[in-house]
Amino acid sequence: YLPKLVLYGLQGPIKVNGADYNGIMPAWGQLTDEQLADVLNYVLNAWDNSANLPADFSPYTPEEINAARGLNLSADQIHQERQSLGLE
């Protein structure tokens, strides 16, 4: 989900830590696969976020970002995927 989120953006209502948001998160597809993998891995490990990662988590690779890049999804589709994952 996260590689697709940064590549295609997000549009639609979400709730984060009890706060409601309904805006548009822009896509960041102009960054390289390596840059996007680095950003995701940083965010997932900074600010004590790593404590919430599954034990079998492995960092994102540029190849994983590249595989998601060719899906040509819309921000609405990413919102639907977010909902299907049980994320608000």
Side-chain angles (χ1 to χ4, degrees):
Y1 167 74
L2 291 178
K4 291 183 265 184
L5 175 68
V6 295
L7 283 168
Y8 302 107
L10 179 71
Q11 182 173 340
I14 64 170
K15 186 176 288 214
V16 178
N17 294 328
D20 293 319
Y21 298 92
N22 192 2
I24 298 172
M25 181 189 131
W28 290 92
Q30 72 272 22
L31 298 177
T32 68
D33 297 338
E34 185 172 333
Q35 289 171 323
L36 288 174
D38 288 346
V39 167
L40 286 176
N41 291 324
Y42 176 79
V43 170
L44 288 169
N45 286 286
W47 310 292
D48 293 325
N49 289 337
S50 60
N52 297 314
L53 294 174
D56 64 347
F57 172 78
S58 60
Y60 284 104
T61 65
E63 293 77 21
E64 289 174 293
I65 304 300
N66 187 266
R69 191 178 289 277
L71 298 175
N72 297 318
L73 300 171
S74 70
D76 288 326
Q77 288 172 304
I78 301 304
H79 184 260
Q80 290 171 6
E81 182 171 344
R82 179 183 176 87
Q83 291 176 317
S84 74
L85 293 170
L87 303 170
E88 293 186 58

